[in-house]
């Protein structure tokens, strides 16, 4: 078995004091989330994951805080034995910053739990339901060489899965996570099985294709277990002895790997995937040391084994950038020397235009990564740092534990594969704006440069020639709205999370006022940058249920324009008062004074830091002038004239 995957070798080896650190948690009185997450960062075995899960359970039982881990309730429906898997799921989720609660119904009660309104799963109202099914749960009917019979079997299976989904949606409205199906190792004809309609292999391939399309259409989530099993080898995945003895659907040796993949998906649902890849240069992006070896001496060419290994790192970085991951550089080098290969080496795939922030100096890497996060206005926990040097990796892990730092082998040919194996950039959806994210952040760096030259904030804002566009929620923007609601943490007043079905309900509710806000300027389209939900709160009041904004547009007075739009529609609806709430989290201290700065009056404050604010609509006309054009579409009251 490939140890990269079976031993999770992108993680650090387990330290000798692991058990002592676990025991020490029992005597700790403060929030335990950070230490629990730190203990989960190692390549833990099934036994060690179980011990960590027990420590988490003791902490919860004792009433201790798990902050800053984010709560998530996951129900698991399976046709196999999952008792060993449940604690491993809890511990693996902590690795991704999640405090996971697993709802485990009785063995092999999949249909009963999904279709019964008051079943254990439906009545527990989970955030998501994982259908952890393997091919033995499917009504597969062999129809060898019969295309029509094969299609009917596939259709029947998809119909069954659709019915399970509909039951969960109707009775608990949870997000459904479907697994693709790993085919059995055994064949009937040999290689012909894959091509022959109606064979088990052909049927499962067809089911996996249709299931993927179902998930894309429905907005549910796919966990590609078939791909995972093929990565480690089907013969390693399926353990016939364990199935016969205890109905384990895959080898117990691979439970840590499987649970890590589930945790990635759960974390992605909570917006906790990586957004930035920070690259070291010497012996990471190219072979050799540019300051010593010069342009002619570094290894980065086709036909050279070391050079091709580093080109693979560049190719992966470029592919990640194409799907929206922001690239940055942190290198201990003289800036001019570090830039030279990007500008002059003919074999370089990465160019300076691909890099959003370039930090080449003699500061330590942690200081540079902090500077990168600040320039991009992104949290440290959105950053993944790739460096061949174990000392640099160790320093960043120690000083910036929020940053993900994959452990790399000595052989550079495995760098790209190890980065991919770590699953740091897991995604559950792909919105059109995701593909533009890298450009957005690069444009932000240009804006920061312009601001330094403009000679004042007002002159800077005017020079941007901004256009702000307001729309109510709609089907076209729904996927991005859901994504922002579930991943925005810093500029988010209440950090309430909603699923896609819940957002659809809000779209259709005429009593709810919603906003999706876009911003464009001379550097390009920033895409959707703010989301607002206002609910009726009785007696001519609106409660601002959700107000979030992208940190990419901080300092441009967008919040003033958003409030102006809310007030305009509130007034038209006969509303006299807005109620705003600030619910503090570890991540949203940025907006603690949001309502105060916008003229709201504080009416309530709790010990937790929660504050409630009010704004009277009448007389709220003293708007600060913001030089931007305003466009409104999709509202009954029509579009406004440009404001300057």
């Amino acid at each position: 078995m490939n140890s990269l995957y079976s031993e999770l070798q992108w993680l650090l080896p387990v330290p000798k004091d692991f058990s002592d650190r676990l025991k020490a948690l029992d005597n700790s009185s403060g929030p335990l989330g950070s230490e629990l997450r730190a203990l989960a960062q190692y390549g833990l075995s099934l036994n060690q994951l179980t011990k960590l899960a027990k420590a988490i359970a003791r902490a919860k039982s004792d009433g201790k805080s798990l902050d800053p881990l984010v709560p998530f309730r996951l129900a698991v429906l399976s046709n196999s034995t999952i008792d060993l898997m449940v604690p491993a799921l809890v511990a693996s989720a902590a690795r991704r910053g999640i405090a996971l609660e697993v709802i485990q119904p009785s063995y092999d009660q999949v249909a009963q739990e999904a279709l019964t309104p008051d079943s254990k799963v439906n009545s527990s109202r989970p955030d998501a339901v994982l259908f952890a099914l393997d091919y033995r749960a499917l009504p597969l009917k062999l129809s060898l060489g019969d295309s029509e019979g094969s299609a009917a079997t596939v259709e029947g299976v998809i119909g069954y899965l659709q019915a399970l989904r509909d039951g969960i949606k109707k009775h608990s409205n949870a997000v459904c996570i479907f697994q693709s199906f790993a085919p059995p190792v055994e064949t009937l004809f040999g290689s012909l099985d894959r091509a022959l309609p109606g064979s088990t292999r052909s049927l499962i391939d067809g089911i996996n294709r249709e299931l993927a399309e179902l998930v894309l259409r429905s907005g549910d989530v796919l966990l590609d277990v078939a791909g995972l099993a093929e990565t480690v080898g089907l013969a390693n995945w399926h353990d016939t002895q364990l199935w016969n003895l205890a109905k384990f659907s895959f080898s117990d040796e691979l439970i840590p790997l499987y649970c890590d993949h589930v945790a990635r998906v759960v974390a992605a649902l909570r917006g906790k995937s990586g957004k930035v890849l920070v690259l070291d240069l010497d012996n990471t992006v190219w072979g050799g040391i540019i300051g010593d070896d010069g342009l002619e001496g570094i290894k980065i060419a086709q036909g050279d084994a070391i050079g091709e290994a580093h080109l693979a790192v560049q190719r992966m970085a470029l592919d990640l950038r194409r799907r929206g991951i922001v690239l940055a550089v942190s290198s201990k080098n003289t800036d001019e020397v570090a830039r030279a290969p990007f500008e002059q080496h003919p074999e370089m795939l990465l160019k300076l235009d691909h890099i959003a922030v370039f930090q080449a100096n003699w500061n330590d890497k942690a200081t540079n990564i902090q500077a990168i996060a600040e320039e991009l206005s992104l949290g440290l926990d959105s950053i993944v740092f790739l460096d061949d040097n174990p000392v640099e990796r160790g320093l960043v892990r120690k000083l910036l534990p929020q940053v993900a730092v994959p452990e790399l082998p000595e052989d550079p040919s495995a760098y790209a594969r190890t980065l991919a194996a770590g699953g740091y950039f897991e995604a559950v959806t792909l919105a059109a704006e995701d593909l533009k994210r890298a450009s957005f952040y690069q444009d932000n760096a240009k804006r920061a440069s312009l601001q330094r030259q403009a000679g004042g904030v007002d002159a800077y804002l005017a020079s941007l020639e901004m256009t702000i566009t307001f729309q109510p929620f709609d089907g076209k923007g729904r996927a991005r709205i859901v994504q922002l609601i579930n991943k925005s943490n810093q500029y988010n007043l209440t950090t309430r999370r909603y699923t896609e079905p819940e957002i659809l309900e809000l779209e259709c509710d005429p009593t709810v006022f919603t906003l999706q806000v876009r911003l464009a300027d001379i550097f390009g389209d920033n895409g959707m940058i703010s989301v607002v939900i206002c609910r009726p709160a009785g007696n001519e009041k609106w409660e601002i249920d959700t107000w979030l904004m992208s940190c990419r547009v901080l300092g441009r007075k967008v919040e003033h324009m958003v409030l102006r739009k809310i007030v305009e529609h509130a007034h038209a609806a006969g509303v006299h008062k807005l109620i705003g709430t600030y619910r503090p989290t570890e991540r949203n201290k940025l907006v603690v004074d949001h309502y105060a700065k916008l003229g709201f009056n504080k009416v309530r404050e709790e010990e937790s830091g929660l504050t409630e604010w009010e704004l009277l609509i009448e007389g709220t006309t003293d708007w600060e002038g913001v030089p931007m054009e305003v466009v409104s579409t999709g509202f009954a009251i029509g579009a406004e004239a440009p404001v300057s």
Side-chain angles (χ1 to χ4, degrees), residues 43-73:
L44 304 178
S45 66
L46 176 57
N47 184 43
Q48 290 161 334
L49 287 169
T50 303
K51 288 182 178 178
L52 179 57
K54 287 180 178 177
I56 294 173
R58 284 197 301 274
K60 292 172 71 174
S61 176
D62 293 342
K64 294 179 179 177
S65 169
L66 299 184
D67 289 343
L69 300 184
V70 177
F72 194 97
R73 308 184 78 220

Side-chain angles (χ1 to χ4, degrees), residues 115-372:
L115 302 177
T116 305
D118 59 349
S119 67
K120 181 177 181 178
V121 166
N122 284 323
S123 59
S124 65
R125 309 290 293 181
D127 295 301
V129 175
L130 170 63
F131 287 95
L133 309 177
D134 89 330
Y135 73 94
R136 301 173 185 90
L138 303 180
L140 295 179
K141 179 182 178 184
L142 294 187
S143 51
L144 301 177
D146 179 0
S147 298
E148 291 185 4
S150 173
T153 299
V154 171
E155 184 179 350
V157 169
I158 295 300
Y160 169 65
L161 298 177
Q162 177 78 57
L164 297 178
R165 175 192 182 276
D166 292 346
I168 292 295
K169 291 294 181 186
K170 181 178 180 180
H171 303 309
S172 69
N173 204 25
V175 172
C176 292
I177 304 173
F178 285 105
Q179 292 185 177
S180 57
F181 297 91
V185 176
E186 298 78 13
T187 62
L188 277 181
F189 298 91
S191 296
L192 182 62
D193 277 54
R194 189 185 287 272
L196 189 70
S199 69
T200 300
R201 177 70 197 220
S202 174
L203 288 172
I204 290 176
D205 286 348
I207 290 165
N208 283 337
R209 282 194 300 273
E210 293 293 326
L211 177 61
E213 291 183 12
L214 170 66
V215 165
L216 286 177
R217 286 196 308 272
S218 64
D220 291 312
V221 175
L222 183 70
L223 177 64
D224 189 15
V225 166
L228 182 60
E230 288 173 353
T231 299
V232 299
L234 285 176
N236 291 318
W237 182 261
H238 291 295
D239 187 319
T240 52
Q241 187 178 39
L242 276 179
W243 174 259
N244 293 335
L245 284 172
K247 295 297 175 284
F248 279 33
S249 61
F250 58 91
S251 167
D252 57 344
E253 290 183 58
L254 294 169
I255 288 177
L257 177 65
Y258 170 87
C259 291
D260 192 69
H261 278 249
V262 175
R264 298 172 191 185
V265 168
V266 169
L269 283 168
R270 282 289 183 257
K272 299 181 78 65
S273 297
K275 300 182 181 70
V276 184
L277 175 61
V278 177
L279 295 160
D280 166 56
L281 297 180
D282 291 336
N283 287 317
T284 301
V285 165
W286 54 68
I289 300 173
I290 183 63
D292 295 336
D293 301 323
L295 274 177
E296 298 77 13
I298 60 174
K299 295 180 178 180
I300 192 167
Q302 294 287 350
D304 176 88
I306 294 177
E308 290 197 24
H310 293 285
L311 280 177
V313 173
Q314 293 195 32
R315 194 172 294 111
M316 169 154 285
L318 271 179
D319 288 344
L320 287 169
R321 186 182 182 277
R322 290 188 183 100
R323 55 149 286 195
I325 302 302
V326 183
L327 301 184
V329 161
S330 174
S331 173
K332 281 185 176 177
N333 258 312
T334 303
D335 185 81
E336 182 181 354
V337 173
R339 289 174 186 265
F342 290 87
E343 297 172 326
Q344 302 173 37
H345 201 295
E347 299 288 342
M348 281 286 290
L349 300 176
L350 285 171
K351 306 297 182 186
L352 285 178
D353 284 350
H354 299 134
I355 309 299
V357 183
F358 199 101
Q359 288 281 339
N361 50 46
W362 298 102
N363 295 332
D364 65 79
K365 298 287 180 71
T367 300
N368 279 338
I369 290 172
Q370 281 184 308
I372 289 168

Side-chain angles (χ1 to χ4, degrees), residues 584-612:
T585 70
E586 286 292 320
R587 303 284 302 280
N588 71 351
K589 293 183 175 62
L590 174 70
V591 289
V592 64
D593 296 324
H594 170 84
Y595 285 119
K597 291 177 180 176
L598 291 174
F600 284 64
N601 294 313
K602 185 162 63 177
V603 295
R604 188 166 68 92
E605 182 168 4
E606 298 181 357
E607 287 187 10
S608 65
L610 182 147
T611 53
E612 187 173 296

Side-chain angles (χ1 to χ4, degrees), residues 14-29 32-42 44-59 62 64 66 87 90-91 94:
V14 181
K16 293 180 180 177
D17 65 348
F18 176 76
S19 295
D20 292 336
R21 288 171 63 183
L22 271 184
K23 292 176 183 174
L25 292 175
D26 293 337
N27 299 320
S28 178
S29 57
L32 299 180
S34 295
E35 178 61 7
L36 289 168
R37 186 173 187 180
L39 287 166
Q41 296 307 311
Y42 302 107
L44 304 178
S45 66
L46 176 57
N47 184 43
Q48 290 161 334
L49 287 169
T50 303
K51 288 182 178 178
L52 179 57
K54 287 180 178 177
I56 294 173
R58 284 197 301 274
D62 293 342
K64 294 179 179 177
L66 299 184
V90 173

